[in-house]
Amino acid sequence: MRMNRPITIVLTAALGCAGALAAGPAAGASAPLGCQYKVVWPTAGVYENPNPNSVVVKTKHAGDIVGASTCEGAGYNEYGYVLVTTDAAADGRGWMREEAVVRI
């Protein structure tokens, strides 16, 4: 089952804020922000833009952990992409196929 991306983003933000308010910050600890993913494909490209014809700026491998400070997503035709942080992209923002990763 696939949820609409805007609903997912709103729910993620709302639940993240609710958890931070309910638990409160621990001494010396900070809650992680954004989304983290584990790569499940043997190899997966990190694209400059969320487009299968975009330049692959980096390759990740099964088991690698990737993510970004926000849980953004994008689509191009039938392909879905998630935002990841990478120094290899010109703007520090790379995109990976959502089928190549699972959220952790």
Side-chain angles (χ1 to χ4, degrees):
M1 177 193 278
R2 187 172 171 160
M3 294 179 64
N4 291 333
R5 177 112 8 236
I7 293 172
T8 304
I9 293 170
V10 170
L11 288 174
T12 301
L15 292 173
C17 291
L21 293 175
S30 62
L33 300 175
C35 292
Q36 288 191 331
Y37 307 93
K38 183 176 184 178
V39 177
V40 294
W41 284 1
T43 59
V46 178
Y47 295 87
E48 181 76 36
N49 297 301
N51 177 328
N53 299 317
S54 179
V55 174
V56 175
V57 295
K58 190 176 232 181
T59 301
K60 296 307 240 173
H61 303 281
D64 288 349
I65 304 299
V66 296
S69 60
T70 63
C71 298
E72 289 184 50
Y76 182 88
N77 291 336
E78 73 272 14
Y79 302 108
Y81 293 85
V82 296
L83 177 68
V84 295
T85 302
T86 179
D87 292 337
D91 60 359
R93 296 165 47 101
W95 298 89
M96 293 185 75
R97 292 273 307 274
E98 64 184 1
E99 293 86 11
V101 296
V102 294
R103 189 164 174 193
I104 54 175

